Amino acid sequence: MEKSFKSVIDASRNILVLLPRDPNFDQVAAALSLYLAIEGKKDIAISCPSQMRVEFNRLVGVDKIGEEIGSKNMVVKFVGYPAEQIERVSYDIENQEFRLTVIPKPQHEAPQKNQVELAYSGVSADTTVLVGGERADQFPALNGGELNETKIVHIGINDITAPEGRNIISLARPSSSVSELMADYIKEIEGGFHPDIATNLLSGIHEGSDNFNKKEVNANTFKLAGELMAAGGKYTRKEEFKPRLPAQAGPQFNFPQGMIPAMQGMGPMSVPPRAMKGAKKQDDASPERDTHEAPEGESVNPPTSWLKPKIYSGNKGTSVS
């Protein structure tokens, strides 16, 4: 058995990171973090037998996960075309281009373009890292022959029993999450964390440990979380990760219920009928004006006596000028 995970990675030239069927968020976060840590230094691929769920879009690099476990060989399939209708298959090279010719039997048509399907098979990796999982049957590739020539390592919080004839190097141990384990192993091989890796691991620890509420949470869990945050890791809760909807046209009013009482038969912003009766439209920018006009032929100026000062005499309220 190898002394450490670092020695396994250092001795590998081509690595396959393999997720179990229907993985959870924590497992995907841990696997992607390992992929990002090794990418560019080794030939590496990451695969999962199940499609990724929408909630995994919070993770950096989720688009790198494919369903095929290897791309060593290309496979051409004719979907829905009876194989017994093929007479023979030949190939030749013209102008440095490879040409594959499928010749059908007499009285039969050639396969249609929409029946041609291209796929890959064959694992070129010399090391396969299983991430997560509780049972060997969650990794269908273990039951085939494609991993026969690879060294298999398992990282998880539960040991898995290797199928007959398989030898699996187990690096599993109890922990609050697979991401916490992976953080330790990435520190071992890298010495630190890139912000994208720190973000994935921090999110995985949050989700895998049930927001630090599992009984397996210990001082190392919080220490790693602090290191990941210091390295630039950010955690986005699932409920906070929502696609932006297009803005609706026009002003939007979100008044609390009861703040503007609605009148029967009218909306909350309606004007009561009495206020509208006899109302005239006025310019909002103009001050209120007296609409009374002087009768025709009369002066609008007051008499001059009105403008002279008055002296109060105390005689029955009269005044003298």
Side-chain angles (χ1 to χ4, degrees), residues 6 108 120 129 178 181 188 262 311 319:
K6 185 178 187 304
H108 293 287
Y120 290 96
V129 181
V178 181
L181 280 182
E188 180 185 340
I311 301 175
S319 60

Side-chain angles (χ1 to χ4, degrees), residues 106-175:
Q107 310 302 322
H108 293 287
E109 295 183 353
Q112 302 299 307
K113 290 182 179 180
N114 58 5
Q115 293 178 304
V116 179
E117 182 178 288
L118 301 179
Y120 290 96
S121 69
V123 177
S124 57
D126 49 32
T127 299
T128 299
V129 181
L130 310 179
V131 179
E134 299 178 357
R135 304 180 311 277
D137 60 5
Q138 292 178 299
F139 299 92
L142 290 177
N143 297 321
E146 294 180 304
L147 301 180
N148 287 344
E149 304 300 323
T150 72
K151 181 185 302 179
I152 302 176
V153 181
H154 174 238
I155 297 176
I157 57 178
N158 298 288
D159 283 315
I160 61 174
T161 302
E164 186 177 355
R166 293 283 189 189
N167 181 29
I168 297 179
I169 301 173
S170 177
L171 298 178
R173 68 172 188 262
S175 180

Side-chain angles (χ1 to χ4, degrees), residues 2-318:
E2 302 289 344
K3 294 181 180 180
S4 66
F5 183 61
K6 185 178 187 304
S7 63
V8 174
I9 298 301
D10 289 344
S12 304
R13 292 180 302 172
N14 198 312
I15 300 169
L16 171 65
V17 179
L18 193 58
L19 280 159
R21 183 186 290 114
D22 298 324
N24 59 34
F25 186 94
D26 172 34
Q27 294 166 350
V28 177
L32 277 174
S33 299
L34 178 61
Y35 172 86
L36 294 174
I38 300 176
E39 185 186 28
K41 305 176 183 69
K42 304 273 186 178
D43 290 332
I44 186 169
I46 182 169
S47 176
C48 180
S50 304
Q51 291 185 345
M52 293 293 98
R53 300 197 295 270
V54 175
E55 65 174 297
F56 299 154
N57 288 343
R58 290 183 284 157
L59 297 170
V60 180
V62 69
D63 58 315
K64 303 292 186 181
I65 301 177
E67 294 186 41
E68 297 163 343
I69 65 171
S71 57
K72 185 177 181 180
N73 306 312
M74 174 175 281
V75 178
V76 181
K77 296 190 294 185
F78 301 111
V79 180
Y81 185 83
E84 62 272 12
Q85 295 183 11
I86 296 177
E87 178 74 26
R88 66 181 186 276
V89 178
S90 64
Y91 78 92
D92 56 2
I93 298 176
E94 294 183 5
N95 299 323
Q96 302 299 316
E97 293 181 347
F98 180 85
R99 297 171 61 91
L100 183 69
T101 304
V102 178
I103 303 171
K105 292 180 179 179
Q107 310 302 322
H108 293 287
E109 295 183 353
Q112 302 299 307
K113 290 182 179 180
N114 58 5
Q115 293 178 304
V116 179
E117 182 178 288
L118 301 179
Y120 290 96
S121 69
V123 177
S124 57
D126 49 32
T127 299
T128 299
V129 181
L130 310 179
V131 179
E134 299 178 357
R135 304 180 311 277
D137 60 5
Q138 292 178 299
F139 299 92
L142 290 177
N143 297 321
E146 294 180 304
L147 301 180
N148 287 344
E149 304 300 323
T150 72
K151 181 185 302 179
I152 302 176
V153 181
H154 174 238
I155 297 176
I157 57 178
N158 298 288
D159 283 315
I160 61 174
T161 302
E164 186 177 355
R166 293 283 189 189
N167 181 29
I168 297 179
I169 301 173
S170 177
L171 298 178
R173 68 172 188 262
S175 180
S176 70
S177 62
V178 181
S179 293
E180 180 181 343
L181 280 182
M182 191 62 74
D184 281 331
Y185 289 128
I186 290 176
K187 278 180 62 178
E188 180 185 340
I189 62 177
E190 289 294 302
F193 305 102
H194 184 276
D196 289 343
I197 297 173
T199 293
N200 283 352
L201 290 173
L202 186 62
S203 299
I205 291 175
H206 268 277
E207 298 289 336
S209 67
D210 192 18
N211 291 322
F212 302 94
N213 287 316
K214 282 188 175 179
K215 63 180 181 179
E216 291 82 6
V217 172
N218 54 32
N220 184 65
T221 310
F222 290 101
K223 179 183 177 183
L224 278 174
E227 292 180 16
L228 295 171
M229 293 178 68
K234 301 182 184 301
Y235 171 58
T236 303
R237 292 180 175 85
K238 180 168 58 177
E239 56 270 18
E240 295 175 353
F241 186 79
K242 296 180 180 179
R244 294 184 178 181
L245 300 177
Q248 298 181 4
Q252 303 297 314
F253 301 100
N254 295 316
F255 296 108
Q257 185 175 2
M259 183 175 179
I260 300 181
M263 299 181 64
Q264 187 175 2
M266 296 185 299
M269 297 298 293
S270 301
V271 180
R274 291 183 180 179
M276 297 179 63
K277 185 177 181 181
K280 294 183 179 180
K281 184 177 180 181
Q282 295 184 355
D283 186 358
D284 293 339
S286 302
E288 294 185 0
R289 295 172 295 181
D290 188 1
T291 57
H292 296 287
E293 297 181 358
E296 186 176 356
E298 293 186 7
S299 173
V300 296
N301 296 322
T304 55
S305 61
W306 288 15
L307 303 178
K308 294 181 180 181
K310 302 294 188 298
I311 301 175
Y312 179 69
S313 64
N315 296 326
K316 297 182 181 181
T318 60

